Structures are given as structure tokens and as C-alpha cells.
């Protein structure tokens, strides 16, 4: 398990006001910095989970399934702006995104999660002809450094080389969803994220065999700017432990990326 050092630099501005014979010392302001967020991916109890509700043609009622992410495929990519280099890491926890302010080069991390939809890891299958009614991804925040708020992009992507590679850092997304925030108060909690529109896009024929997500910091928001309260109006967090009823234990996945031929054979 990787460990990230924490460097906290707190500046306190003391304002002395004369009046009534006393001094007034206000509390230091809350500063929103670049931010680094990490998701736990060590066990079924805390690993990222996709929950999908769908219907099938000519079949009454809905079906709801939950799928754990594939640990061997999950990972992050760090881009070092100074050295202009990429570092790809898979199969380790936590999975990171944001800016590592502890590193003098300020590398940017982007996190990638893979949810197989064809049952290859022993999880339930989402049929290729299913109509998606609702979907959400739940992540357990195990690291939150250097910020109080991290504005976040979440994209649907597909690895063109079969496994996570440097090219995926800036790959054009297949679909996007509205920007949202992670907060320092999310540390130690499960955060559900609505991904219904992304899952619907993944089902567009020919349906994707893997539901692959990329988390990145919204770099258009200046580090010290306040975030929008509107985009987080319906946001909720869940304290551990979470219910695991009906969740199948995931099977060990291959650590080797699939070849293009293997990927083609797994098309649904």
C-alpha cells in the first residue's frame, strides 16, 4: 500500500482591532488548495462498487446488480510537468487523482477504475441490450490532502491499448457528466456518484465490455476559488460499513492487459 506524506502549512493572519480596550483575533480562513484524493481498493468491503438498475426488452420489471471494480486494472497516471513524464501505476491502493503538493514538481494524478460488465471477474453481467434506468459508483475516500474541496471531472473512457497506459491520461472521453466536488469531510466515508448517463453511453451499440472511468481535478477552477453549491445540492455520503448483501466476491483478474484480439472476443 502506498503512503503519501502530509505537509500542512497554515498561515494565520492576525488582525488587531482597537476598540473597547481589547484586541480581536479572527480564525484563519479556510483555503481550498489543489488537492489530492485517494480511493481505497484493498477489499470487497471498501473497493469501488458500481450499482446498475436496468430493464430488458420484452421483460417486465427491473434488475439491480452490483459490480466491484477490477483491482488489477484499477490505477492512476501521474504527469510530471517539470520532467514531462508519465508514471502509470496499477493494482495498488489508494488510487489517486489531483495534485500532489508534497512533490516539488507538483505532478497531476488521474485515477482510473474498471468495472467488467461481462462477468469475467465473477461479478454479475449487464446484458448488452439492457436499458439503463439508474447507475451509481460508490468510492471510499481514504486519503485527502492539501485542500478542503477538490472540483472533479468524471469521464467515461476506453483504453485503446487494452490496459492502462500513458496515452489514457489525455484520451478523448466517450462521455462526460457534470463537474462535482469532493470534500475533506469525505475522508473515511463512502461517496455515491450518479453515473446514469455514462452507463447509458456505455450501452450504446456495440455495448462496451468494461465500464471504465477517469477521475481528474477540474483545472479550470483556480486553487483558491470557492466551489459551486448548486452542483452538490443532492450530494450524500455514507458512513462505513456498507451493506454487502448480494455482492459476489471478485475473482483474481489477469495482471496482463488484454490483447486487441482478446478485447474483440469479449465484445458483448
Amino acid at each position: 500500500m502506498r503512503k503519501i506524506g502530509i505537509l500542512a502549512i497554515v498561515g494565520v493572519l492576525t488582525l488587531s482591532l482597537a476598540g473597547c480596550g481589547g484586541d480581536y483575533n479572527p480564525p484563519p480562513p479556510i483555503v481550498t488548495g489543489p488537492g489530492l484524493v485517494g480511493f481505497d481498493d484493498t477489499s470487497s468491503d471498501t473497493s469501488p462498487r458500481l450499482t446498475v438498475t436496468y430493464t430488458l426488452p420484452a421483460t417486465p420489471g427491473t434488475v439491480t446488480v452490483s459490480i466491484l471494480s477490477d483491482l488489477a486494472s484499477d490505477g492512476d497516471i501521474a504527469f510530471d510537468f517539470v520532467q514531462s513524464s508519465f508514471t502509470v501505476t496499477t493494482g495498488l491502493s489508494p488510487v489517486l487523482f489531483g495534485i500532489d503538493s508534497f512533490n516539488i514538481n507538483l505532478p497531476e494524478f488521474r485515477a482510473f477504475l474498471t468495472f467488467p460488465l461481462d462477468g469475467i471477474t465473477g461479478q454479475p453481467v449487464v446484458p448488452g441490450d439492457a436499458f439503463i434506468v439508474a447507475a451509481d459508483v460508490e468510492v471510499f475516500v481514504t486519503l485527502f490532502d492539501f485542500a478542503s474541496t477538490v472540483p472533479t471531472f468524471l469521464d467515461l473512457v476506453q483504453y485503446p491499448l487494452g490496459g492502462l497506459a500513458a496515452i489514457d491520461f489525455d484520451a478523448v472521453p466517450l462521455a462526460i457528466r457534470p463537474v462535482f466536488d469532493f470534500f475533506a469531510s469525505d475522508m473515511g466515508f463512502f461517496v455515491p456518484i450518479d453515473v446514469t448517463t455514462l452507463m447509458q453511453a456505455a450501452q450504446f451499440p456495440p455495448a462496451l465490455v468494461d465500464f471504465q472511468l477517469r477521475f481528474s481535478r477540474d483545472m479550470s477552477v483556480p486553487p483558491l476559488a470557492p466551489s459551486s453549491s448548486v452542483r452538490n445540492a443532492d450530494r450524500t455520503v455514507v458512513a462505513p460499513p456498507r451493506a454487502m448483501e448480494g455482492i459476489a466476491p471478485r475473482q483474481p483478474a489477469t495482471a496482463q492487459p488484454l490483447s486487441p484480439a482478446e478485447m474483440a472476443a469479449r465484445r458483448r
Side-chain angles (χ1 to χ4, degrees), residues 16-24:
S16 298
L17 298 178
C20 301
D23 292 334
Y24 171 64

Side-chain angles (χ1 to χ4, degrees), residues 21-246:
D23 292 334
Y24 171 64
N25 298 319
I30 297 176
V31 177
T32 300
L36 184 68
V37 182
F39 305 144
D40 188 83
D41 202 358
T42 55
S43 71
S44 298
D45 291 335
T46 55
S47 294
R49 181 173 73 182
L50 169 68
T51 300
V52 182
T53 300
Y54 64 86
T55 61
L56 291 173
T59 302
T62 60
V63 178
T64 299
V65 298
S66 291
I67 301 171
L68 298 176
S69 66
D70 178 19
L71 174 59
S73 300
D74 294 344
D76 51 54
I77 302 175
F79 176 63
D80 188 314
F81 294 90
V82 177
Q83 300 182 4
S84 192
S85 62
F86 294 92
T87 301
V88 180
T89 304
T90 57
L92 295 179
S93 181
V95 178
L96 305 172
F97 81 94
I99 306 297
D100 182 4
S101 297
F102 193 67
N103 187 312
I104 191 173
N105 291 350
L106 299 177
E108 179 188 355
F109 285 79
R110 296 186 179 179
F112 296 80
L113 301 178
T114 295
F115 300 90
L117 302 177
D118 62 351
I120 193 172
T121 56
Q123 303 293 294
V125 173
V126 177
D129 60 348
F131 174 78
I132 306 303
V133 177
D136 69 73
V137 163
E138 188 178 61
V139 295
F140 184 74
V141 179
T142 190
L143 183 145
F144 203 106
D145 283 350
F146 317 117
S148 58
T149 304
V150 176
T152 305
F153 280 126
L154 179 56
D155 309 325
L156 173 67
V157 295
Q158 185 178 27
Y159 306 158
L161 301 182
L164 189 61
I167 192 176
D168 300 312
F169 186 86
D170 273 329
V172 177
L174 302 179
I176 61 175
R177 57 143 289 158
V179 179
F180 63 99
D181 294 329
F182 280 96
F183 300 100
S185 58
D186 293 335
M187 179 72 175
F189 287 85
F190 294 100
V191 179
I193 306 162
D194 186 352
V195 293
T196 302
T197 57
L198 300 185
M199 189 64 202
Q200 290 172 340
Q203 290 293 101
F204 188 81
L208 299 179
V209 70
D210 293 316
F211 186 62
Q212 296 175 316
L213 299 176
R214 176 178 61 196
F215 291 79
S216 58
R217 189 194 186 283
D218 179 4
M219 302 303 288
S220 68
V221 179
L224 302 184
S227 61
S228 169
S229 59
V230 175
R231 67 191 184 200
N232 298 302
D234 298 325
R235 191 179 181 283
T236 60
V237 296
V238 181
R242 67 179 176 188
M244 295 299 293
E245 292 84 355

